[in-house]
Amino acid sequence: MQVKGNLRKMRVALEDGQAKYHMRFFHVLEPSEEVYMNDLVGQEIKLSWDNKIHCVVTGKSIKKTYGEGMSFDAWRTSPMSVESIVRPELSRIHEGIALRDKEWEEEHHNKPHYVYLSLTSDVKVGVTRETNIPSRWIDQGAVRAIKLAYTPYRQLAGLIEVSLKDYMADKTNWRNMLKNAHDDSVDLEDLKDQVIDWMDEEYHDFISDDDEVTHIEYPVIEYPIKVVSMKFEKLPIIEGKLMGIKGQYLIFDNGRVINIRSQAGYEVTLEY
């Protein structure tokens, strides 16, 4: 089989504790086909880059991407790269103040958000819109996660996250995540109780009553001992046995990995 198109972040879902992956292909900006990648784990596949990239916002042909598949102009102006995405504490749309695009920020940032704890390489604290759970946890390669706080808008969730940065990380060591290297003895329910003690009292009204721990298994035959990152600029043809998928990474034999999310906009042919 052969499928061709411009890549986007893989579509993910959680079914019976299993992470499910669909690779999405676009004809520039128009969705075209999807391939269910779980079925390809254990098979030989080939990804070939056609030396073409299209901006995921405007569709124009570009030589280099910024953010996730954007041209430089789109990255400077698009709401999809507004600073409050990376630093949610900067959002002010709940006050009626937009940083870049009022309508977009109302739709995406002036909505309920969760602060959560997840176990990826280590335990991290994070923020995501209510509708992004559990996809956000799968995208980052979490094996377990728990909701910590529920807030009516993004900035408040960001402020809670910032208040905890002295106690825990807010980023994932992606290499360790891909090696499946983490402390499996971590009890997120107990840790949640400890984190609540660290939180400022002004945030206690927003603590989530949901103490369910979500467990996530990934379609991986074998985790790499040593991780070798690949990108199409340096290796336009990537082929071999697909050993697994975790986060937004395809894991090939010999520890080779590629982050599909970082290759958004690239025109690629998948053969399997």
Side-chain angles (χ1 to χ4, degrees):
M1 291 286 292
Q2 186 178 96
V3 182
K4 181 177 180 178
N6 297 89
L7 293 178
R8 295 293 189 276
K9 179 175 79 75
M10 287 184 284
R11 182 169 66 83
V12 302
L14 186 64
E15 297 178 14
D16 299 322
Q18 301 283 330
K20 307 291 186 179
Y21 287 89
H22 286 82
M23 184 174 284
R24 301 183 296 156
F25 292 86
F26 282 62
H27 177 61
V28 186
L29 296 180
E30 292 297 319
S32 56
E33 298 183 62
E34 291 193 358
V35 175
Y36 180 52
M37 296 300 292
N38 291 56
D39 282 349
L40 302 188
V41 174
Q43 295 187 29
E44 297 283 329
I45 70 170
K46 180 179 180 179
L47 291 168
S48 305
W49 178 42
D50 298 333
N51 202 31
K52 297 177 183 177
I53 311 171
H54 293 93
C55 172
V56 300
V57 176
T58 66
K60 76 175 184 178
S61 179
I62 56 178
K63 296 295 185 184
K64 179 182 178 180
T65 62
Y66 296 81
E68 292 177 17
M70 300 183 200
S71 66
F72 181 68
D73 288 342
W75 178 74
R76 286 196 311 165
T77 59
S78 171
M80 291 190 292
S81 58
V82 66
E83 194 173 5
S84 51
I85 290 178
V86 177
R87 298 181 61 194
E89 71 275 12
L90 298 180
S91 175
R92 297 187 64 187
I93 193 61
H94 60 286
E95 303 173 50
I97 300 172
L99 301 184
R100 189 166 287 184
D101 184 302
K102 188 174 190 299
E103 183 177 350
W104 189 94
E105 290 171 47
E106 284 282 0
E107 177 63 25
H108 293 84
H109 289 180
N110 198 17
K111 293 291 172 68
H113 279 63
Y114 276 108
V115 185
Y116 61 84
L117 306 176
S118 63
L119 178 60
T120 53
S121 52
D122 297 292
V123 177
K124 71 180 288 292
V125 59
V127 165
T128 195
R129 199 163 74 251
E130 178 182 22
T131 52
N132 286 342
I133 286 179
S135 61
R136 174 59 180 156
W137 297 336
I138 297 172
D139 284 345
Q140 66 185 205
V143 294
R144 294 199 290 278
I146 192 171
K147 298 168 183 172
L148 174 64
Y150 182 74
T151 66
Y153 51 85
R154 187 172 182 82
Q155 186 202 53
L156 181 54
L159 291 172
I160 294 174
E161 179 187 41
V162 168
S163 75
L164 296 172
K165 285 184 179 179
D166 288 340
Y167 303 98
M168 58 179 53
D170 64 343
K171 290 183 172 55
T172 296
N173 182 319
W174 63 272
R175 291 183 181 274
N176 284 343
M177 179 273 289
L178 289 170
K179 294 176 184 178
N180 205 35
H182 58 266
D183 184 354
D184 211 38
S185 68
V186 171
D187 187 318
L188 288 183
E189 287 186 81
D190 288 346
L191 183 59
K192 177 177 175 177
D193 290 337
Q194 183 177 1
V195 171
I196 290 171
D197 290 337
W198 294 337
M199 290 171 61
D200 296 338
E201 284 192 15
E202 63 181 300
Y203 300 134
H204 281 194
D205 288 344
F206 302 99
I207 293 169
S208 173
D209 294 329
D210 186 350
D211 293 331
E212 179 184 359
V213 176
T214 298
H215 294 255
I216 303 171
E217 294 185 8
Y218 294 88
V220 179
I221 296 173
E222 182 178 281
Y223 286 101
I225 297 172
K226 182 180 180 181
V227 174
V228 180
S229 180
M230 300 181 291
K231 291 188 175 182
F232 289 124
E233 288 91 346
K234 294 183 178 179
L235 198 62
I237 297 177
I238 296 171
E239 58 186 329
K241 187 175 182 180
L242 183 62
M243 303 302 291
I245 314 170
K246 192 176 185 186
Q248 281 286 323
Y249 287 84
L250 300 184
I251 304 171
F252 286 82
D253 48 4
N254 298 319
R256 298 171 300 142
V257 305
I258 182 168
N259 184 349
I260 295 301
R261 186 172 195 162
S262 73
Q263 306 290 278
Y266 284 67
E267 187 174 290
V268 168
T269 300
L270 168 65
E271 297 175 68
Y272 59 97

